[in-house]
Amino acid sequence: MATDAPAASLRLDLRAALVIGLAAALSNALCKGVGLSGESLAYGPLIGALVVRPDFSRWPALIYPVLLVLVGVCLGIGVSLGLGLSNVPQVFVFGLVAALMQLITLLLPSKLRLLSGVVACAGVLPLLGTPSWEGWQNEMLAIVIGLATGTLIQLIFTPPELTIEPGSEAEETSDPPLEERIRAGLSSPFFWRKLVFASLAYAIGEGLGALTPKYLYFGVVLLLNESIGATLARVRDRMVGVSLGVLMPLLVFNTIGISELSIGLVMGGTAALVAALNRRSYLRTALISSGVAFIGYGPLVAWYIPNRWIDYLMGSSLALLIGLLFFPNSALRRFNALTATARSPEQLRRLESLLPAAGEEARWLGLPPPQLPPPA
């Protein structure tokens, strides 16, 4: 039995890699079939690959309309301000949209809090090219095609014994009223810390001479967390995922060019590589890193991959510096303080939620890993 489990896991990983590759290739073909091209074309295969869940569990049905509405609104805000402030320096417009996206995250209920990164990224995407409503329409169409294709391909290839019902792993949580959530967010120094530096990150990147300063912004909005340990964990995961994600595009695109076949090989190959190295937690980051290699860039050029990696490292370093210098919050210190007094089930659950970030801090400091107290 000991050897059966790894073999079954390997078969599932290979099946997931096949499904991811097929979803990306078919999404790309369908997007081309409806006349999409340029940057909007690449949204389809990227979303098609990302919507596939490696364990073949299903997304809750409600996530699809909510995601489309949320992304559409955020993209629309970016297009509106990009067109309305076309004569204003891009650094200012980028900072304004970044601040608005952070304000929008305050409105998200707890069930949608995981989409905060999607909101932060979607709003500024139109500003990275030439904003237009035609581009908005094409990007939304590509996203719909990717969502539908990836979901359908996963359903077709889901093993019969792995019919996992949607939402079975989620717990119902009650949210405070909207006014209370907004008031709590506006009174939090961590919210203002993120808003201010998200607004300044693009300008900081240009000031430092980054060739792709957008990655400093992505580093701040995606990696900066309330605690130092959680930020460290995200930085490590992101840089490992980015490093794994550039390998397949570098090998495949520079060898056989870009086509449905090569896009499927890249996305499926990245998934297989991550599984082979037993780094499954980095899969989504690696897929995104592989996907952006063909969003509007055509065949890879020598400067793109190294400079993208360097600029993302600059963004990660900026997120760490902000976390250390402005309102530093040590998860390890809070964990140790709470361990001495934790008695109630609620306190023990809080300790469990702090454990990953506290363990990350201890690892970086060379300290023994923190342990949960024994049950009473």
Side-chain angles (χ1 to χ4, degrees):
M1 295 298 292
T3 59
D4 290 344
S9 177
L10 179 59
R11 285 195 298 269
L12 190 64
D13 288 335
L14 292 177
R15 182 186 287 259
L18 173 65
V19 172
I20 288 171
L22 284 175
L26 185 56
S27 298
N28 189 74
L30 291 174
C31 287
K32 281 185 176 180
V34 298
L36 298 181
S37 61
E39 293 185 13
S40 59
L41 169 64
Y43 280 75
L46 178 57
I47 298 300
L50 290 175
V51 77
V52 174
R53 306 186 82 171
D55 63 352
F56 290 90
S57 61
R58 301 177 189 174
W59 293 102
L62 191 60
I63 196 68
Y64 296 100
V66 169
L67 182 63
L68 288 174
V69 170
L70 196 60
V71 170
V73 169
C74 294
L75 285 173
I77 291 174
V79 172
S80 300
L81 292 177
L83 293 175
L85 301 176
S86 57
N87 295 325
V88 178
Q90 187 187 29
V91 172
F92 176 80
V93 182
F94 200 101
L96 176 61
V97 174
L100 288 175
M101 293 303 105
Q102 292 304 309
L103 291 172
I104 289 176
T105 60
L106 289 181
L107 308 178
L108 299 178
S110 59
K111 291 181 180 179
L112 302 179
R113 202 64 49 79
L114 291 176
L115 298 178
S116 298
V118 175
V119 170
C121 294
V124 303
L125 287 177
L127 305 179
L128 302 177
T130 303
S132 69
W133 288 111
E134 182 182 1
W136 177 89
Q137 181 180 351
N138 291 338
E139 289 162 5
M140 291 301 299
L141 177 58
I143 291 171
V144 170
I145 291 174
L147 286 173
T149 304
T151 302
L152 180 60
I153 294 295
Q154 176 181 317
L155 286 175
I156 292 173
F157 285 91
T158 298
E161 68 274 10
L162 286 180
T163 306
I164 304 175
E165 290 302 319
S168 59
E169 74 276 5
E171 294 183 2
E172 293 291 332
T173 57
S174 58
D175 280 324
L178 179 61
E179 298 81 3
E180 186 177 334
R181 295 205 308 270
I182 295 176
R183 193 181 307 114
L186 294 177
S187 62
S188 168
F190 302 109
F191 169 77
W192 289 105
R193 178 182 71 175
K194 195 166 190 176
L195 184 145
V196 168
F197 283 99
S199 304
L200 296 175
Y202 190 87
I204 292 173
E206 287 201 340
L208 294 176
L211 291 180
T212 49
K214 61 185 177 182
Y215 290 116
L216 277 84
Y217 168 78
F218 293 148
V220 171
V221 297
L222 296 178
L223 307 182
L224 182 61
N225 201 280
E226 288 190 7
S227 73
I228 298 171
T231 302
L232 284 168
R234 289 188 178 186
V235 166
R236 173 176 51 81
D237 292 351
R238 184 67 53 170
M239 292 311 301
V240 173
V242 168
S243 302
L244 292 174
V246 299
L247 297 177
M248 284 299 167
L250 184 63
L251 174 64
V252 176
F253 289 155
N254 286 345
T255 303
I256 62 175
I258 292 184
S259 64
E260 283 75 19
L261 174 62
S262 62
I263 287 175
L265 286 174
V266 163
M267 303 304 277
T270 295
L273 175 65
V274 170
L277 297 176
N278 198 22
R279 295 292 184 265
R280 295 171 183 82
S281 60
Y282 307 133
L283 176 60
R284 295 206 176 276
T285 301
L287 288 176
I288 293 172
S289 187
S290 294
V292 298
F294 54 88
I295 295 183
Y297 288 96
L300 293 180
V301 289
W303 65 266
Y304 175 63
I305 286 182
N307 283 286
R308 180 180 182 273
W309 195 92
I310 291 170
D311 291 344
Y312 224 130
L313 181 61
M314 292 169 64
S316 300
S317 301
L318 178 61
L320 279 177
L321 283 175
I322 294 169
L324 290 171
L325 298 178
F326 297 91
F327 306 105
N329 185 10
S330 170
L332 181 60
R333 188 179 299 120
R334 283 189 293 151
F335 183 92
N336 291 335
L338 188 59
T339 300
T341 59
R343 295 293 182 273
S344 66
E346 181 180 350
Q347 289 176 318
L348 292 175
R349 284 194 297 269
R350 182 161 180 77
L351 273 179
E352 290 180 356
S353 66
L354 283 173
L355 184 60
E360 189 70 24
E361 284 186 37
R363 186 180 298 112
W364 282 78
L365 294 172
L367 299 175
Q371 302 289 334
L372 291 171

